Amino acid sequence: METWTPLGCFSKGLLFSALFLALELPQGSQAALHIEMIPEQPQKNQDLLLSLHGVPSTAQDFIWYLGEEASGGTRLFSYIPGLPRPQRDGSAMGQRDIVGFPNGSMLLRNAQPSDSGTYQVAATMNPAWTMKAKIDVQVAGAREVSSLLPVHAGITVAIIIGSLAIGSLLVCGIAYVLVTRSRKGRSPRNPATEKPEVNLSPESGDSNIYEVMPSPVFLVSPISDTEQGSPPMSQPLPPPPASQEPEPEHQHYQDLLNPDPAPYCQLVPTS
């Protein structure tokens, strides 16, 4: 007859807890494993590094796959640290140039658009514990890169043209303000630059408009304004008047005492 003892119950409970922890540990470790893509946006003919983080020190081997499923047909290579030849290429390697590293990372040289897809890695700790991680890779081709260039070029040209337009508007505004202030500050009547008034009176009998200007040289008045012919400036200068002898001091009194009878002789009496 079997009897129930507390020791047997304790042993079964401990075994169940250990089994539960063993099953949950790989799932928690799998969440800590992740892949970093360098650069984040790979271009054609550019080296691509898939750096693996969160790998325990007890990792025994790494297997990389290219595809949604991890199988023999999608295996790129396997890497076993510590062996003389640690890397073994798989059926999905093809013509790709891939280098593995002891920490589980991989380097894809001269990446092409055909290398785009889902990359998976499986890190084996022991036969009962395997950690996995995956990442989607998109390698941009030459056409995709060239299609992005006109967009950036158009934005750059628009920024340059807008800056030039704003600068020209500012310059024109400053010039307008300066010209307006200079006109307001100028005197309404400047004697130094004021022109002489022009006589437009209709009484002069001349419909022409003349402007009086100061002469740089001294002008001599002509002898007679009634003479026609040669211009006034061509007339010879008049001879200087003959010097007259000074009259005696009592000449006026002598004229009164001895008047000239000639003017009186011309008077004719009338009847």
Side-chain angles (χ1 to χ4, degrees), residues 56-79:
S57 59
T58 58
Q60 297 180 359
D61 62 73
F62 304 94
I63 303 177
W64 279 90
Y65 302 90
L66 177 57
E68 294 293 339
E69 297 181 359
S71 61
T74 60
R75 186 171 65 91
L76 289 172
F77 69 95
S78 60
Y79 193 94

Side-chain angles (χ1 to χ4, degrees), residues 14-29:
L14 182 61
L15 180 62
F16 177 77
S17 299
L19 181 61
F20 177 78
L21 292 176
L23 293 176
E24 292 294 330
L25 183 60
Q27 296 179 2
S29 301

Side-chain angles (χ1 to χ4, degrees), residues 78-250:
S78 60
Y79 193 94
I80 303 176
L83 294 181
R85 185 185 172 188
Q87 181 173 336
R88 303 293 177 90
D89 296 339
S91 59
M93 176 66 74
Q95 301 297 326
R96 296 180 176 87
D97 187 2
I98 299 178
V99 178
F101 296 95
N103 63 347
S105 302
M106 60 162 281
L107 175 65
L108 174 61
R109 296 175 178 174
N110 298 324
Q112 300 297 320
S114 58
D115 297 328
S116 301
T118 301
Y119 285 77
Q120 300 187 46
V121 61
T124 302
M125 308 298 128
N126 53 56
W129 183 13
T130 301
M131 301 175 62
K132 296 181 179 180
K134 64 180 179 179
I135 187 173
D136 292 331
V137 176
Q138 294 295 329
V139 180
R143 294 182 179 179
E144 297 178 4
V145 175
S146 61
S147 62
L148 296 176
L149 293 178
V151 176
H152 296 291
I155 296 174
T156 304
V157 171
I159 293 174
I160 294 174
I161 294 176
S163 302
L164 293 177
I166 294 174
S168 61
L169 290 177
L170 291 177
V171 172
C172 293
I174 294 173
Y176 175 76
V177 172
L178 294 177
V179 171
T180 305
R181 288 184 178 179
S182 63
R183 288 182 178 178
K184 291 182 179 180
R186 186 181 300 173
S187 176
R189 296 180 62 88
N190 191 356
T193 59
E194 184 178 3
K195 295 184 179 180
E197 296 181 357
V198 180
N199 185 13
L200 300 178
S201 176
E203 298 178 358
S204 60
D206 192 356
S207 61
N208 297 329
I209 299 175
Y210 300 94
E211 183 178 357
V212 180
M213 298 181 64
S215 176
V217 297
F218 179 76
L219 299 178
V220 180
S221 178
I223 297 175
S224 176
D225 294 338
T226 58
E227 295 181 3
Q228 302 293 333
S230 61
M233 294 301 296
S234 64
Q235 296 291 339
L237 297 176
S243 60
Q244 298 180 359
E245 296 180 359
E247 296 181 356
E249 183 179 358
H250 304 290

